[in-house]
Amino acid sequence: MTPSPSFSPQLAFAVSLVLAGALVEPATAQRAAPARPTAMPASAAAAGPHLIRRYPAFHARWNNDTTLTLSGIESIAGHDLNGDGDILDGIPMIADLATGALQVVPRAAVSSYWTGDPAPRFIALTTNELAEGVDLDGSGFLSLVAEVFDTRTSTIRTIVTAESGVAMSRGSLYTQALEDSLGQDVNGDGFLLDAVDIVHSFLTGHTRLLGVGQNFLGFAGDGQILLGRFDPTTLGTGFVTAYDPTDDSTTPLPLSGLVQVFDNSDVRWLLEVEGAALQDMNGDGDTADRVIVTYDSATRTVTNTGVDTDWALETEDALHFVTLESTLGVDSNGDGDMLDGVFTRLDLDTGVLTSSDVVLEIDHHPDGSWDIIPGGVGPMQAAGPWLYASVWLSPASLTRTLVVIDTTTGVSEVLSTDAEPAGSTLHLTYQRLPRWVDDRWAVWLQPESTADLNGDGDVDPADLVLHVREHATGTVQVIPFACRGHETWIEDGLAVSIVDEARQGADLNGDGDLDDGVPFGIDLATGKRVLSGVAGQWVVPQPGGALMSFREQVPAGLVLTVIDLRTGERLSAPDVGTLFPLEQIRGRHAAVPRDEGHPDVGDLNGDGDTDDRFVELWRF
């Protein structure tokens, strides 16, 4: 075996490349040092938003509050950033939000991901050896390889061929590779055809082969990895193992291998399938259920709760779900049977169950299994002990009922019999999900039924009027605007929505028609309201509770607009060629993709063509 390639790039940001710690050491390869990448400087701005840098990149993703990862394009930068002798590759780059300074990850990577907070240091890469022109892992052929880039030392560690991509947590990286690419018959069956489970510890640099034929279930604790194996032809023989890279130990867990995991970033509970385990885990005389099992990563033990369900919402210290009255041993609705479903809370620290007074009808099946009636539970979110849920209480109901449950007591309150939670149908985006509940308030849209709630002179069920409830006091405010449900959010006490001019019966942006949606925000702590007065879409509250952002419609197209509700300051930056503004804003920074081919953009870098793409970093 020969050492992996290394060189010292002459880069202003002092990026050096050292490949070390590979599972299989690759053959020696030499290449020239990559050239300095160029971030185009901002033009001077007398006032308004400040353009920090324009980067040759086609995509941006926030890592945290201080850095941004860019998908750089060598051909636009005009430099060979990974030292392979061409300018044909896509290269990850890390931008500092405060200064715009750039750190290049000199690899032709098809994907790159930070390994997690609270102190992100490593970036996991899936590198294309064919684009690099080097057999980095020494497998004898060019393929995709898993690598780790250390942002503190600017070094790269090649791990192994990665046929299946990578998954990662704060401490570990998981991937799979075929025995053939490793050149090892790991399970000794005389063939090199199996997929091998591989774990790499970022901090220790240790790589471990964990066997073959297992399924990745998730991470737990600080880097533990849970793997499962299940063979449907031999029920009861499956298993789950927990590997801990901190002490290089593997612990078998008494589970079937067909367990369901709902959050694989930090597994604290699983649903065990009784039929796969061939066990009656809840004592109801059948093996048709799915039962909640909790996992303690500190002791590496599992606990059977004996509670059956088919899903659960996890909060910081509890699970919220529907289970049967028979599981709880209580006829919650007093109808003489224990066949109904009950909203229930499981404390993950103490194991205490608390049932509520919210009861649902259940479909029971001959094999002993059961389901909530189709559509019986809609959107639900929680904050502290408060669980807000849209539920279909019976087949006779034509609409869901919006309820709030104090899960510590099980007592509920009906908020509406015909409303949907605000934002529940909003498009999901890459990094943020819509919220209609924050730590202090919940928001929803209520159709008018008996009173004119928005002051337009009629009582129209088509007018969806914004309502706000404070958790602790139960106080409900009516905000007299008819809004669009899929455009309503709340975060850190800032509720935002789009007021529908037609439903409000008012021309709110002064253009002479009632065709527009006008962004609106309210600081719930102070009651201060800001109506933007312009046509816009995709309004989003930013963390911190002061800023709302949206795409403003202007004659030239669209601009990204930010309003500070506390100061009234309003700033706009270009927003051409982007899909969602949700990924663009972080605090007072915006990452705005720009495509020269768009008719409203043109030649940004003065090279005489309109073929290039950039990401601009703005500060408001």
Side-chain angles (χ1 to χ4, degrees):
M1 296 185 185
T2 53
S4 53
S6 63
F7 55 84
S8 297
Q10 304 302 312
L11 301 175
F13 44 82
V15 171
S16 64
L17 175 61
V18 178
L19 297 178
L23 178 64
V24 180
E25 294 181 345
T28 300
Q30 299 295 328
R31 63 168 59 159
R36 173 198 295 260
T38 301
M40 298 178 64
S43 57
H50 173 58
L51 175 58
I52 299 175
R53 286 288 188 273
R54 179 180 295 138
Y55 302 104
F58 66 90
H59 177 69
R61 185 179 63 252
W62 300 106
N63 301 320
N64 48 39
D65 292 333
T66 60
T67 60
L68 178 76
T69 292
L70 301 152
S71 299
I73 308 171
E74 285 186 327
S75 59
I76 300 176
H79 297 293
D80 175 13
L81 302 180
N82 63 334
D84 66 348
D86 63 49
I87 54 171
L88 303 176
D89 306 313
I91 305 293
M93 303 185 295
I94 306 163
D96 182 280
L97 299 189
T99 66
L102 201 62
Q103 183 180 27
V104 167
V105 182
R107 277 291 193 256
V110 298
S111 66
S112 58
Y113 299 98
W114 282 80
T115 55
D117 289 327
R121 170 180 172 181
F122 301 99
I123 291 182
L125 307 172
T126 303
T127 300
N128 186 345
E129 288 183 322
L130 185 62
E132 286 287 319
V134 178
D135 180 12
L136 297 170
D137 64 343
S139 63
F141 56 89
L142 302 181
S143 62
L144 299 179
V145 295
E147 298 190 298
V148 174
F149 177 74
D150 188 331
T151 61
R152 295 181 188 173
T153 63
S154 296
T155 58
I156 295 180
R157 181 183 301 136
T158 303
I159 302 172
V160 71
T161 300
E163 279 95 351
S164 64
V166 299
M168 68 227 73
S169 74
R170 278 176 283 183
S172 303
L173 176 147
Y174 166 82
T175 188
Q176 282 189 332
L178 293 176
E179 290 176 318
D180 181 57
S181 65
L182 299 176
Q184 301 180 48
D185 180 10
V186 175
N187 62 344
D189 64 356
F191 302 97
L192 299 178
L193 304 176
D194 299 301
V196 181
D197 300 293
I198 301 168
V199 176
H200 177 82
S201 170
F202 299 124
L203 296 177
T204 68
H206 180 70
T207 301
R208 172 79 179 271
L209 307 185
L210 294 180
V212 303
Q214 300 178 93
N215 297 315
F216 172 74
L217 299 176
F219 296 100
D222 289 327
Q224 286 184 28
I225 292 179
L226 303 183
L227 300 172
R229 180 183 295 169
F230 173 72
D231 184 349
T233 64
T234 55
L235 297 178
T237 63
F239 60 86
V240 172
T241 57
Y243 172 70
D244 193 330
T246 61
D247 59 9
D248 195 28
S249 64
T250 301
T251 303
L253 304 177
L255 298 169
S256 71
L258 194 62
V259 291
Q260 293 177 275
V261 174
F262 290 78
D263 178 6
N264 65 12
S265 64
D266 185 10
V267 178
R268 296 190 294 167
W269 64 281
L270 315 94
L271 280 184
E272 175 63 289
V273 180
E274 288 184 329
L278 293 182
Q279 297 181 49
D280 176 10
M281 300 179 64
N282 61 344
D284 65 352
D286 63 55
T287 57
D289 306 309
R290 284 170 288 184
V291 177
I292 296 174
V293 175
T294 59
Y295 177 63
D296 186 334
S297 60
T299 61
R300 303 181 208 176
T301 57
V302 296
T303 300
N304 173 21
T305 67
V307 177
D308 54 326
T309 190
D310 59 358
W311 56 267
L313 172 68
E314 181 178 353
T315 56
E316 184 176 350
D317 59 356
L319 296 181
H320 307 277
F321 52 89
V322 173
T323 191
L324 294 181
E325 291 174 313
S326 56
T327 297
L328 303 169
V330 177
D331 178 8
S332 298
N333 60 348
D335 63 353
D337 65 48
M338 291 195 289
L339 300 175
D340 304 305
V342 182
F343 265 93
T344 304
R345 177 184 190 271
L346 171 67
D347 189 304
L348 287 171
D349 295 324
T350 66
V352 173
L353 287 171
T354 304
S355 62
S356 76
D357 55 11
V358 179
V359 179
L360 306 178
E361 290 199 17
I362 296 295
D363 285 337
H364 292 268
H365 307 297
D367 64 355
S369 62
W370 57 272
D371 297 298
I372 300 170
I373 56 175
V377 177
M380 66 182 203
Q381 292 185 12
W386 308 102
L387 175 68
Y388 291 79
S390 177
V391 296
W392 195 14
L393 295 178
S394 74
S397 302
L398 297 179
T399 58
R400 292 196 184 104
T401 298
L402 182 61
V403 300
V404 56
I405 305 171
D406 181 345
T407 61
T408 59
T409 64
V411 176
S412 68
E413 175 187 346
V414 173
L415 300 178
S416 172
T417 58
D418 57 358
E420 281 293 304
S424 61
T425 59
L426 184 66
H427 47 253
L428 302 184
T429 61
Y430 188 77
Q431 289 183 311
R432 292 178 62 195
L433 300 179
R435 296 287 302 172
W436 43 279
V437 176
D438 75 358
D439 290 340
R440 186 174 171 185
W441 288 279
V443 295
W444 72 94
L445 297 184
Q446 175 72 44
E448 291 180 337
S449 58
T450 61
D452 176 12
L453 300 178
N454 67 329
D456 65 349
D458 62 35
V459 178
D460 188 346
D463 293 348
L464 304 179
V465 180
L466 183 63
H467 284 56
V468 179
R469 180 186 187 272
E470 187 174 23
H471 307 321
T473 65
T475 302
V476 175
Q477 301 178 54
V478 178
I479 312 299
F481 288 113
C483 299
R484 296 176 179 176
H486 64 289
E487 297 270 18
T488 303
W489 279 54
I490 187 171
E491 186 157 349
D492 292 340
L494 172 58
V496 302
S497 190
I498 299 288
V499 182
D500 190 313
E501 288 185 329
R503 305 285 10 126
Q504 189 66 20
D507 177 13
L508 301 176
N509 65 334
D511 66 351
D513 62 49
L514 301 180
D515 300 331
D516 306 308
V518 176
F520 159 81
I522 177 171
D523 183 337
L524 295 174
T526 65
K528 184 174 182 179
R529 303 176 186 180
V530 172
L531 188 64
S532 67
V534 298
Q537 55 186 287
W538 289 334
V539 61
V540 179
Q542 297 304 323
L547 305 177
M548 71 174 183
S549 64
F550 56 91
R551 295 179 73 183
E552 180 181 346
Q553 294 169 320
V554 297
L558 293 167
V559 296
L560 180 62
T561 296
V562 174
I563 295 179
D564 188 325
L565 269 72
R566 295 174 184 170
T567 66
E569 183 182 19
R570 173 178 155 181
L571 301 169
S572 296
D575 183 283
V576 180
T578 60
L579 293 178
F580 304 112
L582 307 183
E583 294 180 55
Q584 297 168 349
I585 301 290
R586 180 62 68 96
R588 287 187 171 269
H589 288 87
V592 183
R594 307 294 303 281
D595 185 343
E596 289 185 335
H598 193 285
D600 296 326
V601 178
D603 183 7
L604 292 175
N605 58 345
D607 64 352
D609 63 50
T610 56
D611 301 331
D612 305 323
R613 297 173 69 180
F614 298 91
V615 171
E616 293 178 344
L617 179 61
W618 290 75
R619 176 170 174 80
F620 291 94

